[in-house]
Amino acid sequence: MVQRWRQVLARRWRHVVMFGLPLAAVLLSLVVKPAAEPAPPRGGPDPAVGACWQGHGLHVVLTAEATPTESVACEVPHQLETVAVGHVPKALARRDAPPQRAELTGEFAGCGRTAGEYLGADWRTLDVSLLLFAPTAEQWQAGARWYRCDVVALGGDIDSVRDREGSVHGDPAGHGPSNDLTLNCAVRFVADDEWAGTKRTPCTEPHDMEFAGVAESAAPAFPETAAARDAAFGDQCRDRALAYTAMPGDLMRGRAVTVGFLPTGEPSTWPGGDHYGRCWVFLPHPVTVSIRGAGDLPA
């Protein structure tokens, strides 16, 4: 019996040696070789829709090319919330540096559509700005190829960026956007004979301006001056005001009703496709009812 097992082992030994591996080495490799670990994703995971970020106030909007990276719980004060995430086009993904906002105009348009689904209404009709961020240089070098669409809530007496507690996600019941973001009636603030900002208020409270709609401009540059803003948005906003109030143009002029417009973004967001303006109807005196569809001003 012993002789028989020696013969079997010898045959197996010869079989293994034919492949250049001694049996002991094969057995050792089976014992000590660790299981293969999956490679970690390059650049870390993509940002998550619904994530909230610290953006350091006005700095976010005025220098919006800098990607905020400090993630916080949405229940604590924050400035931004991610409403959509995508990946940069392949032609840009092969480059050594992250793309500039002007190279992602198509992505901005897509972000706007997705943001509306998240917010419960067209973002341009809400008291928010939409910002698109690429990875930081360090994240890009590590392999990140996402882009992030964030909403920043506006507010205060001069439409500044404000801290927010809680999500900008639409009404959980599916009945529209968060009430505190809806644009409707407001009080106008004037400084040096120019419109300096707004404060939203219920239409049943005294107010002297109402949101009438959105205009889109084909101007190649951000409209910095009042004349440039009129050229960019004036005709469309006047049409929006006529449709909103149902007032004939001659009657509107007779009642001293005027139209105001402000871009939805800033100079840094214009090259990326944010060519929109919000249209407002300015009233000559405060009223306590909405003039939407009224045909004339209330007495």
Side-chain angles (χ1 to χ4, degrees):
M1 179 64 73
V2 173
Q3 181 64 27
R4 179 183 173 187
W5 277 107
R6 287 177 178 174
Q7 291 172 352
V8 171
L9 289 174
R11 285 198 300 271
R12 291 183 178 178
W13 178 269
R14 287 194 299 270
H15 176 73
V16 172
V17 171
M18 286 175 61
F19 291 91
L21 293 173
L23 180 58
V26 173
L27 295 175
L28 182 62
S29 67
L30 292 174
V31 172
V32 302
K33 186 176 181 180
E37 294 283 346
R42 296 187 65 205
D46 289 357
V49 172
C52 293
W53 312 84
Q54 291 287 9
H56 308 294
L58 276 172
H59 179 75
V60 173
V61 172
L62 299 178
T63 59
E65 291 288 354
T67 303
T69 57
E70 185 181 347
S71 177
V72 296
C74 293
E75 291 73 25
V76 303
H78 61 276
Q79 289 83 41
L80 298 112
E81 183 170 343
T82 298
V83 298
V85 176
H87 293 91
V88 301
K90 291 182 179 180
L92 297 176
R94 291 192 290 265
R95 298 193 331 192
D96 294 333
Q100 300 297 309
R101 182 169 287 110
E103 299 172 294
L104 297 171
T105 55
E107 285 68 28
F108 182 84
C111 280
R113 291 188 292 271
T114 306
E117 299 172 4
Y118 187 91
L119 293 164
D122 185 336
W123 70 271
R124 301 170 302 175
T125 67
L126 303 177
D127 204 12
V128 302
S129 283
L130 183 69
L131 302 176
L132 190 149
F133 297 104
T136 65
E138 292 77 15
Q139 291 168 332
W140 188 267
Q141 292 300 320
R145 293 297 184 269
W146 47 260
Y147 61 84
R148 204 176 86 200
C149 305
D150 287 8
V151 160
V152 55
L154 305 176
D157 295 348
I158 57 171
D159 286 337
S160 61
V161 174
R162 63 183 170 93
D163 284 356
R164 181 179 178 82
E165 296 180 20
S167 174
V168 296
H169 203 288
D171 184 337
H175 300 311
S178 176
N179 288 334
D180 72 310
L181 298 177
T182 302
L183 291 174
N184 201 342
C185 298
V187 176
R188 179 173 32 149
F189 290 88
V190 177
D192 297 327
D193 296 324
E194 291 189 5
W195 177 20
T198 62
K199 182 177 182 180
R200 288 182 289 112
T201 187
C203 292
T204 53
E205 298 293 328
H207 62 275
D208 59 5
M209 59 187 294
E210 297 190 18
F211 176 66
V214 177
E216 183 174 2
S217 173
F222 181 82
E224 297 275 7
T225 65
R229 288 191 290 273
D230 184 66
F233 306 119
D235 289 343
Q236 292 182 64
C237 281
R238 282 183 279 272
D239 289 343
R240 304 287 185 274
L242 289 171
Y244 178 83
T245 62
M247 293 175 68
D250 56 348
L251 179 59
M252 182 179 286
R253 289 188 293 273
R255 294 289 189 267
V257 174
T258 56
V259 179
F261 24 83
L262 279 179
T264 55
E266 297 286 334
S268 64
T269 66
W270 191 270
D274 188 359
H275 295 178
Y276 307 110
R278 294 186 175 101
C279 309
W280 293 85
V281 177
F282 291 158
L283 309 176
H285 59 80
V287 298
T288 55
V289 295
S290 174
I291 62 167
R292 181 171 186 169
D296 196 357
L297 288 182

